[in-house]
């Protein structure tokens, strides 16, 4: 009898389950408020040329561990977060996983006194939940356009999961910073400052982290995606398959035990190492000035010199420098981006004098040759020779 | 059935279980079938019906605004059945004083500019009825302070000027944020305390209404966060209805009004610490905050009942009030909280006005506007400081008409004599207040005596020194104030050669009880219509209760940088068939100078002479 009664209860649940709060006019106030308390506003480097100096982070431990997207904003020693109650605290990067395009931060409490336990999302538990399905209603909560500071609540948007799948990684058109499967959302959620925000379902359960701003350069359309909490990417480490998972980043990272994947084999053999060391990239669109040319490298063979007024093309913008170094293949030889160098796109290089534009064109030509030569270099050399603080193209 | 089953044998129980099982299966099948048939649960249908009804109810009030060449435009919403509609300043800035407005019934109306708020990016326009007495459909202004993050809301308007039949486009979504601050463009178009929404807001939506799900206007859409272009970026901003309500009197009055500043520079302290504080850096000379004793290093706690803990809060709270308003400010000095009333300073010292261009923006027409017909041209009067002086005259006459209902004093140009009990700070004594008329056309002398040789007199046109005119000392000019009071009652607009204009809405704070100062100034607040009038060197503001049009107070100022004399009128009783106040509360700054209680009032008419 109990079993059967259970069946009845189930039937009733199913019936009532067809009228979720979102479809009625019930407001999302309570959900937005509870999620907002588990998010932080992150402030780092940037803040000029339209580059966001702020982002959003998700609290994943009671002691102040924060999961966010590994944007250029984290390239600073002066990282700050604002909690929902207006507290402004220092934070530091614990570990970055370029394969997931995610970073784990930790709040540095004032005077090193332990913080009062903070409200947070349980990533381990969230990762065990089934994936949201296309058509499901979601809420995106983030500090987009950095419109809120201190205790001001973040922005909440409503959307629908449009798709679940991999982002197109088509160099020159759309450069997806994450190779795994993502939620694609039908609302304009991925705005400046939104990266690292929470994608939740109607009940406020965490589904994923809002990704970067991503634009298809051919169609000038924007793709709004979120990295799911179940994110997992298979990589090749020392000839063995390794599954890089967001949940491990958090679980091990909180204990200080997470080791980012060391990818030893380049994917697809699309690109290669050139030997050009670029100046460190504090912001997303730092022009790729050459800081050094590795002796004996293809770049050196191509007689490329370190010269801080020479610019290469700008197509590698948009990735954290570690991503660039570890994973992203350099540009392919003869790619048409070389023909669209700075000289022909003056609007993208405001403030650049004409003679500089001409020199850029020259640098572009040299770079084209370099890249061609670079296509044959074995990339492992990069890992060995260069510490993480240099950006290599 | 349950009880029966429990009381019976095993077989019965098994049979019941079978039945229940069948029921469950049927229930499941039923729910699947109904879902397949798109037969939604009643809550969903109810919500949908409610939404559709709200849209149907308010849709007729949504306006498509065009320039007269109909090459560009924006949106608006009717809030008054006489044809008054709200829109953005940046929508009417390119159209000039005349525009054309389409309503969802497909009819195109001529319209004229009424009032503008350039900083707040709001404008009021008036549609002209096709027949006299025609009533326009309207939507009510809601309470935007009740709007919460996560609430549903809908925007209506004419994005991309799509609708050739003027039927509005509806977009539906969530309130993403409240109390947002969006930087100004130069000195204008500062969006303070605005509502952020996630529904599509595009060019052409500007000036259109943001509705809550009850169909109340909670904001006027006017801005988006730009994302490589001026189209929807997932963040639209609407000017809150409560901010608009503060300026509504100014808008109806055809004014080109200004927003406010505190009169002190403020810095955010402790930005490096956990919590920030707003601290006074410098107090500007001659401002009301300076006279109220605000000093550098004082911490601002609250303004107009709202906290001032951050730069954004400070800007948001200040940004929603017009210049000249008086509001309570709480500050902390040496751990002691103090509350004072502060008059706000103008925000723009010298108006430099860059062209208003911003997203989502109006779509600006390139054709010059054809000249309006003469009938329409009558509704526009240009005057410095006004968007349209014609409407100021209308509002001024409305206030005067309401005043006349409480009694016609025009013939009472004889001597006035008031026997009063004067409650001073510590003592109470009998006194006399007189406006003594000399000859039928002359100006009265004002006399005030408190017995025991304490006497003051004033000949307003003769006496030159400001000090004399501010008699009795400490009042700021009670005699002069009584003189302008009588001029208002007997002469109306004619009595003020230096100007007599409607000044919009403003709060006043009469204290009718004996206890002074009150615990919280906000409890004393009365929302008023204001008339600003100048006679010789006396600059006055008259406050009329918006509920009944009764004159409840005046402020008379003789020197710009000094506190005015305030007189609050209450305890109205009939004198010669006219309503006349029997209690005069006289204040200056935060001090109560005296309360005069009228024991006997004699208001002489012209025939009686002196």
């Amino acid at each position: 009898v109990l079993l059967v009664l259970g069946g009845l209860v189930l039937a009733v649940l199913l019936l009532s389950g067809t009228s979720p709060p979102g479809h009625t006019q019930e407001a999302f106030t309570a959900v937005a408020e509870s999620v907002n308390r588990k998010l932080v506003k992150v402030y780092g480097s940037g803040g000029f040329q339209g580059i966001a100096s702020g982002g959003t982070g998700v609290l994943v431990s009671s002691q102040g561990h924060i999961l966010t997207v590994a944007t250029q904003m984290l390239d600073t020693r002066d990282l700050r977060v604002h909690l929902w109650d207006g507290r402004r605290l220092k934070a530091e990067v614990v570990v970055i996983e370029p394969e997931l395009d995610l970073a784990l931060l930790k709040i540095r409490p004032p005077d090193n006194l332990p913080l009062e336990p903070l409200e947070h999302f349980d990533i381990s538990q969230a990762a065990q939940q089934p994936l949201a399905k296309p058509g499901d209603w979601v809420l995106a909560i983030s500090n987009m356009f950095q419109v809120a500071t201190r205790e001001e609540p973040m922005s909440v948007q409503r959307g629908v999961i449009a798709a679940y799948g991999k982002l197109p990684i088509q160099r020159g058109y759309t450069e997806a910073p994450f190779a795994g499967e993502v939620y694609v959302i039908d609302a304009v959620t991925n705005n400046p400052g939104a990266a690292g925000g929470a994608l939740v379902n109607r009940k406020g359960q965490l589904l994923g982290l809002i990704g970067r701003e991503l634009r298809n350069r051919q169609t000038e359309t924007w793709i709004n995606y979120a990295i799911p909490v179940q994110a997992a990417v298979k990589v090749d480490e020392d000839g063995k398959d390794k599954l890089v998972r967001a949940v491990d980043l958090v679980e091990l990272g909180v204990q200080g035990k997470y080791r980012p994947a060391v990818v030893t084999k380049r994917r697809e053999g699309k690109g290669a190492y050139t030997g050009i060391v670029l100046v460190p990239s504090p912001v997303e669109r730092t022009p790729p000035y050459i800081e050094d040319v590795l002796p004996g490298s293809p770049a050196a063979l191509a007689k490329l010199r370190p010269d801080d007024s020479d610019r290469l093309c700008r197509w590698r913008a948009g990735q954290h420098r570690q991503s660039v170094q570890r994973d992203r293949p350099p540009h392919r030889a003869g790619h048409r981006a070389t023909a669209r160098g700075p000289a022909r796109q003056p609007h993208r290089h405001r403030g650049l004098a004409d003679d500089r534009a001409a020199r850029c064109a020259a640098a572009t030509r040299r770079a084209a040759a370099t890249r061609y030569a670079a296509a044959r270099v074995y990339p492992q050399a990069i890992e060995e020779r260069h510490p993480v603080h240099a950006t290599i193209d | 059935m349950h009880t029966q089953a429990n009381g019976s044998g095993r077989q019965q129980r098994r049979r019941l279980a079978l039945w229940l099982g069948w029921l469950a299966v049927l229930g499941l099948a039923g729910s699947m079938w109904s879902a397949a048939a798109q037969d939604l649960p009643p809550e969903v249908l109810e919500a949908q019906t409610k939404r559709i009804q709200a849209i149907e109810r308010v849709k007729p009030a949504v306006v498509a605004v065009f320039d007269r060449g109909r090459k560009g435009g924006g949106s608006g919403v009717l809030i008054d059945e006489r044809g008054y509609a709200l829109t953005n300043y940046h929508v009417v800035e390119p159209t000039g004083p005349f525009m054309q407005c389409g309503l969802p019934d497909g009819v195109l109306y001529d319209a004229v500019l009424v009032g503008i708020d350039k900083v707040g990016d709001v404008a009021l326009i008036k549609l002209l009825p096709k027949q006299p007495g025609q009533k326009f459909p309207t939507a009510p202004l809601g309470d935007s302070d009740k709007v919460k993050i996560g609430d549903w809301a809908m925007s209506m308007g004419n994005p991309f000027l799509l609708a050739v039949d003027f039927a509005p486009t509806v977009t539906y979504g969530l309130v993403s944020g409240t109390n947002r601050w969006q930087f100004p463009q130069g000195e204008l178009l500062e969006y303070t305390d605005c509502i952020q929404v996630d529904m599509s807001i595009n060019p052409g939506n500007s000036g259109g209404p943001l509705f809550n799900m009850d169909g109340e206007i909670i904001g006027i859409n006017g801005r988006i966060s730009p994302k490589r272009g001026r189209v929807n970026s997932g963040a639209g901003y609407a000017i809150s209805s409560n901010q608009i309500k503060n300026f509504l009197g100014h808008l109806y009055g055809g004014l080109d009004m200004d927003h406010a500043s505190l009169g002190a520079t403020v810095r955010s302290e402790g930005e490096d610490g956990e919590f920030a504080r707003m601290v006074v850096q410098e107090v500007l000379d001659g401002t009301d905050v300076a006279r109220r004793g605000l000093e550098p290093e004082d911490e601002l706690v609250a303004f107009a009942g709202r906290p001032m803990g951050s730069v954004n809060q400070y800007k948001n709270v200040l940004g929603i009030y017009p210049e000249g308003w008086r509001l309570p400010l709480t500050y902390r000095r040496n751990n002691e909280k103090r509350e004072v009333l502060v008059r706000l300073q103008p925000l723009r010292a010298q108006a430099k006005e860059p062209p208003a261009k911003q997203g989502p923006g109006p779509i600006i027409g390139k054709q010059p506007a054809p000249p309006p017909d003469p009938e329409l041209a009558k509704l526009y009067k240009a005057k410095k400081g006004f968007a349209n002086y014609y409407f100021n005259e209308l509002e001024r006459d409305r206030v005067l008409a309401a005043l006349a209902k409480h009694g016609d004093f025009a013939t009472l140009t004889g001597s006035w004599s008031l026997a009063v009990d004067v409650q001073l700070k510590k003592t109470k004594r009998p006194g006399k207040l007189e406006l003594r008329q000399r000859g039928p056309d002359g100006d009265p002398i004002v006399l005030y005596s408190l017995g025991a040789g304490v006497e003051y007199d004033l000949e307003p046109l003769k006496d030159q020194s400001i000090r004399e005119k501010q008699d009795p000392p400490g009042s700021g000019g009670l005699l002069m104030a009584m003189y302008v009071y009588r001029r208002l009652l007997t002469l109306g607009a004619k009595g003020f050669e230096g100007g007599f204009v409607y000044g919009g809405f403003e709060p006043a704070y009469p204290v009718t009880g004996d206890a002074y100062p009150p615990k919280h100034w906000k409890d004393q607040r009365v929302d008023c219509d204001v008339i600003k009038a100048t006679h010789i060197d006396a600059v006055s503001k008259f406050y009329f209760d918006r509920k009944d049009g009764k004159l409840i107070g005046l402020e008379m100022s003789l020197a710009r940088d000094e506190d005015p004399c305030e007189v609050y009128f209450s305890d109205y009783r009939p004198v010669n068939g006219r309503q006349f106040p029997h209690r005069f509360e006289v204040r200056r700054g935060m001090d109560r100078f005296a309360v005069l209680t009228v024991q006997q009032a004699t208001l002489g008419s012209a025939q009686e002479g002196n």
Side-chain angles (χ1 to χ4, degrees):
Chain A
V1 176
L2 276 176
L3 247 170
V4 174
L5 272 172
L8 191 65
V9 168
L10 186 70
V12 169
L13 275 176
L14 276 170
L15 277 167
S16 61
T18 50
S19 61
H23 289 190
T24 64
Q25 288 187 346
E26 191 179 309
F28 287 116
T29 309
V31 173
E33 209 174 287
S34 80
V35 174
N36 183 62
R37 292 162 83 102
K38 300 175 197 163
L39 301 183
V40 296
K41 304 159 186 95
V42 187
Y43 297 89
S45 65
F48 52 93
Q49 291 193 342
I51 298 158
S53 61
T56 312
V58 173
L59 281 162
V60 291
S61 83
S62 62
Q63 321 108 62
H65 285 90
I66 297 157
L67 189 63
T68 187
V69 171
T71 60
Q72 83 298 326
M73 191 193 73
L74 304 176
D75 285 356
T76 175
R77 283 174 201 284
D78 191 24
L79 204 57
R80 305 282 176 129
V81 297
H82 292 183
L83 301 188
W84 68 273
D85 60 6
R87 261 183 293 171
R88 181 181 197 258
L89 299 164
K90 289 186 178 180
E92 60 200 6
V93 176
V94 176
V95 63
I96 289 175
E97 178 47 272
E99 296 301 323
L100 296 168
D101 200 27
L102 292 176
L104 189 72
L105 319 179
K106 181 164 185 347
I107 291 172
R108 281 214 308 257
D111 309 320
N112 283 325
L113 295 169
L115 287 168
E116 297 261 310
L118 299 167
E119 286 180 51
H120 63 280
F121 284 107
D122 183 342
I123 294 289
S124 314
Q125 193 264 338
Q128 284 166 18
Q129 300 301 309
L131 288 162
K133 289 184 290 298
D136 281 358
W137 279 35
V138 289
L139 295 179
I141 300 166
S142 75
N143 195 19
M144 62 173 180
F145 300 108
Q146 290 171 254
V147 72
T149 61
R150 294 274 186 181
E151 78 295 339
E152 292 172 336
M154 297 194 201
S155 302
V156 52
Q157 291 170 286
R158 176 206 51 135
V160 170
I161 303 268
Y164 182 76
K166 288 189 177 182
L167 289 167
I169 306 183
Q170 204 180 350
R171 195 156 297 283
Y173 299 111
T174 310
E175 287 179 44
F178 174 59
E181 288 176 314
V182 298
Y183 291 119
V184 177
I185 309 148
D186 77 335
V188 193
T189 53
N190 296 36
N191 283 313
L199 187 78
V200 300
N201 63 15
R202 291 186 316 262
K203 294 173 189 157
Q205 293 164 333
L206 188 68
L207 300 174
L209 266 71
I210 298 167
R212 299 157 183 260
E213 277 193 284
L214 190 60
R215 184 174 52 144
N216 182 323
R217 293 186 193 179
Q218 196 173 36
T219 60
E220 293 283 316
T221 49
W222 300 85
I223 301 161
N224 298 287
Y225 72 94
I227 301 169
V229 285
Q230 296 89 343
V233 185
K234 200 189 275 183
V235 295
D236 188 338
E237 196 176 59
D238 288 329
K240 281 174 280 185
D241 278 354
K242 182 188 177 184
L243 200 58
V244 181
R245 303 194 308 160
V247 67
D248 296 330
L249 170 64
V250 172
E251 282 178 358
L252 296 171
V254 165
Q255 301 166 38
K257 290 181 191 161
Y258 187 80
R259 184 180 60 87
V262 180
V263 181
T264 46
K265 198 170 146 193
R266 294 285 159 185
R267 283 199 198 91
E268 313 286 316
K270 268 188 200 162
Y273 142 80
T274 62
I276 302 166
V277 181
L278 297 174
V279 296
S281 175
V283 297
E284 197 176 16
R285 286 179 189 80
T286 299
Y289 292 124
I290 303 168
E291 190 169 74
D292 196 9
V293 172
L294 303 184
S297 69
L301 292 173
K303 295 184 177 143
L304 204 67
R305 290 179 307 277
D307 179 349
D308 65 2
S309 67
D310 272 357
R311 294 158 61 114
L312 297 178
C313 292
R314 307 164 52 89
W315 52 67
R316 50 158 285 283
Q319 285 147 21
H320 190 271
R321 61 187 184 200
Q322 290 193 8
S323 314
V324 174
Q325 181 187 352
R326 287 175 183 279
D327 180 35
R328 302 292 155 225
H331 313 290
R332 275 181 289 177
H335 195 281
R336 73 195 194 101
T338 49
R340 300 197 309 173
R344 281 168 63 176
Q345 285 190 310
H347 65 282
R348 293 208 174 170
H349 302 270
R350 271 190 213 106
L352 195 69
D354 283 346
D355 63 325
R356 291 192 89 193
R359 277 194 289 157
C360 281
T364 306
R365 282 195 298 278
R366 274 188 287 172
T370 312
R371 231 168 278 111
Y372 184 71
R376 282 153 207 165
V377 176
Y378 193 60
Q380 248 177 336
I382 303 171
E383 307 283 346
E384 285 165 13
R385 286 194 197 192
H386 275 273
V388 283
H389 64 256
T391 303
I392 297 175
D393 202 355
Chain B
M1 258 182 80
H2 273 105
T3 45
Q4 226 179 29
N6 288 343
S8 309
R10 203 176 192 177
Q11 205 178 353
Q12 254 178 320
R13 235 178 283 155
R14 202 174 294 159
R15 201 178 296 160
L16 179 72
L18 214 66
W19 263 109
L20 284 170
W22 269 112
L23 272 173
V25 168
L26 280 173
L28 270 169
S31 74
M32 281 170 191
W33 175 81
S34 65
Q38 300 284 302
D39 192 6
L40 295 165
E43 300 94 305
V44 174
L45 291 172
E46 198 183 305
Q48 180 178 296
T49 310
K50 197 182 165 217
R51 186 166 68 233
I52 292 168
Q53 282 171 347
I55 292 169
E56 288 302 320
R57 206 163 54 240
V58 295
K59 194 177 82 176
V62 181
V63 185
V65 183
F66 302 98
D67 60 40
R68 288 187 64 79
R70 271 197 280 156
K71 300 293 180 204
S75 306
V77 61
L78 284 156
I79 55 163
D80 184 323
E81 59 183 23
R82 293 174 291 172
Y84 290 94
L86 289 169
T87 182
N88 279 141
Y89 162 64
H90 79 262
V91 168
V92 298
E93 194 260 347
T95 68
F98 301 100
M99 63 268 334
Q100 288 187 309
C101 292
L103 292 189
D105 60 7
V107 180
L108 189 69
Y109 293 87
D110 280 319
V112 62
L113 180 68
V114 179
I116 49 175
D117 169 10
K118 289 173 181 163
V119 180
D121 196 15
V122 179
L124 188 72
I125 58 176
K126 187 177 187 294
L127 277 64
L128 306 182
K130 297 282 182 196
Q131 301 91 33
Q134 177 191 347
K135 284 182 178 169
F136 286 93
T138 63
L141 277 171
D143 181 356
S144 57
D145 286 348
K146 288 193 182 141
V147 176
K148 292 190 300 294
I149 293 179
D151 279 353
W152 289 104
M154 34 187 196
S155 287
M156 292 197 205
N158 196 7
F160 305 112
L161 306 186
L162 283 172
V164 284
D165 60 351
F166 317 133
T169 298
V170 185
T171 50
Y172 174 59
L174 291 187
V175 171
S176 299
T178 59
N179 311 105
R180 296 297 197 212
W181 180 81
Q182 287 285 294
F183 53 87
Q185 314 223 324
E187 288 178 309
L188 305 180
L189 309 173
E190 180 175 1
Y191 278 52
T192 52
D193 216 34
C194 59
I195 301 169
Q196 181 195 349
V197 290
D198 80 341
M199 79 247 351
S200 287
I201 303 290
N202 282 303
N205 267 119
S206 275
L210 176 71
F211 289 110
N212 63 17
M213 297 318 289
D214 295 326
E216 294 171 326
I217 304 164
I218 51 171
I220 294 293
N221 295 315
R223 190 162 176 164
I224 57 169
S225 278
K227 190 183 171 85
R228 326 294 204 274
R230 296 191 309 154
V231 292
N232 174 42
S233 63
Y237 302 92
I239 304 139
S240 74
S241 61
N242 286 11
Q243 173 179 332
I244 293 169
K245 283 178 195 167
N246 291 339
F247 289 87
L248 206 55
H250 297 69
L251 290 166
Y252 269 102
L255 292 157
D256 173 3
M257 84 284 292
D258 197 359
H259 279 236
S261 71
L262 195 57
T265 54
V266 171
R267 67 170 190 272
S268 172
E269 202 168 73
E271 276 298 332
D272 284 336
E274 281 189 45
F275 291 105
R277 309 182 311 139
M278 297 303 289
V279 175
V280 176
Q281 177 139 344
E282 194 186 344
V283 180
L284 307 180
D285 283 344
T287 58
D288 212 43
V289 275
R291 293 194 292 272
R292 295 290 74 78
L294 197 71
E295 289 174 9
E297 303 307 319
D298 285 344
E299 181 191 346
L300 301 183
V301 178
F303 184 73
R306 283 173 51 177
M308 269 192 160
S310 69
V311 179
N312 275 10
Q313 280 179 347
Y314 172 76
K315 286 174 173 165
N316 278 336
V317 181
L318 265 181
I320 60 170
Y321 295 109
E323 168 239 331
W325 273 40
R326 213 173 172 199
L327 292 158
L329 171 75
T330 309
Y331 64 96
R332 187 182 284 128
R333 183 185 300 164
N334 304 330
N335 280 329
E336 189 200 337
K337 269 196 208 174
R338 304 166 190 221
E339 191 186 73
V340 289
L341 278 179
V342 167
R343 285 182 191 83
L344 295 176
Q345 301 291 308
L347 182 67
R348 293 184 285 152
Q350 285 294 318
K352 287 176 296 211
E353 284 157 25
K357 281 197 186 96
Q358 65 161 45
I363 297 169
I364 295 164
K366 291 190 174 64
Q367 294 283 315
D373 61 68
E375 205 56 35
L376 195 54
K378 273 191 226 161
L379 301 181
Y380 176 71
K381 282 187 191 169
K383 187 170 178 175
K384 196 170 182 289
F386 296 86
N388 185 349
Y389 185 63
Y390 174 84
F391 286 94
N392 195 272
E393 292 178 326
L394 284 191
E395 287 304 296
R396 181 197 69 193
D397 295 345
R398 172 182 67 80
V399 172
L400 288 177
L403 175 68
K405 275 190 193 154
H406 299 284
D408 178 9
F409 290 78
T411 57
L412 298 184
T413 52
S415 291
W416 289 16
S417 175
L418 309 175
V420 288
D421 270 347
V422 182
Q423 174 72 58
L424 294 164
K425 278 202 182 92
K426 283 173 189 146
T427 58
K428 186 171 187 173
R429 48 170 122 170
K432 198 173 183 190
L433 194 57
E434 260 188 290
L435 288 133
R436 190 178 295 162
Q437 191 68 29
R438 298 163 300 173
D441 298 322
D443 227 34
I445 306 177
V446 192
L447 298 161
Y448 176 57
S449 63
L450 283 172
V454 183
E455 278 182 35
Y456 302 94
D457 64 283
L458 173 76
E459 281 189 74
L461 294 180
K462 248 190 193 169
D463 292 335
Q464 289 303 315
S465 107
I466 290 223
R467 290 290 154 242
E468 273 179 284
K469 288 185 181 181
Q470 285 180 336
D471 272 345
S475 72
L478 171 62
L479 301 189
M480 196 71 177
M482 290 309 294
Y483 168 75
V484 296
Y485 172 56
R486 192 178 108 124
R487 274 187 95 78
L488 174 78
L489 292 183
T490 55
L491 298 168
K494 291 193 299 292
F496 297 87
E497 78 294 335
F500 190 87
V501 298
Y502 175 70
F505 297 160
E506 241 182 74
Y509 302 85
V511 181
T512 46
D514 289 333
Y516 189 90
K519 201 163 180 214
H520 295 294
W521 281 104
K522 70 170 166 50
D523 301 336
Q524 306 300 320
R525 175 173 160 159
V526 178
D527 289 326
C528 296
D529 278 309
V530 167
I531 293 278
K532 292 179 175 178
T534 306
H535 171 58
I536 37 176
D537 47 5
V539 180
S540 307
K541 270 185 182 177
F542 297 100
Y543 292 89
F544 302 86
D545 192 331
R546 277 171 58 199
K547 283 198 301 291
D548 53 11
K550 202 175 262 180
L551 179 66
I552 62 153
L554 74 82
E555 238 181 57
M556 191 281 309
S557 172
L558 290 159
R560 182 184 283 247
D561 292 345
E562 291 184 32
D563 279 323
C565 172
E566 304 160 37
V567 185
Y568 297 97
F569 310 108
S570 57
D571 192 15
Y572 273 82
R573 293 183 203 174
V575 175
N576 305 347
R578 301 164 180 91
Q579 287 292 315
F580 191 76
H582 280 61
R583 186 175 184 276
F584 296 72
E585 184 198 9
V586 186
R587 298 210 311 250
R588 190 185 197 199
M590 298 308 290
D591 282 336
R592 181 187 260 183
F593 173 73
V595 175
L596 280 58
T597 317
V598 177
Q599 299 304 315
Q600 202 192 344
T602 315
L603 311 176
S605 67
Q607 287 75 28
E608 290 158 23
N610 40 330

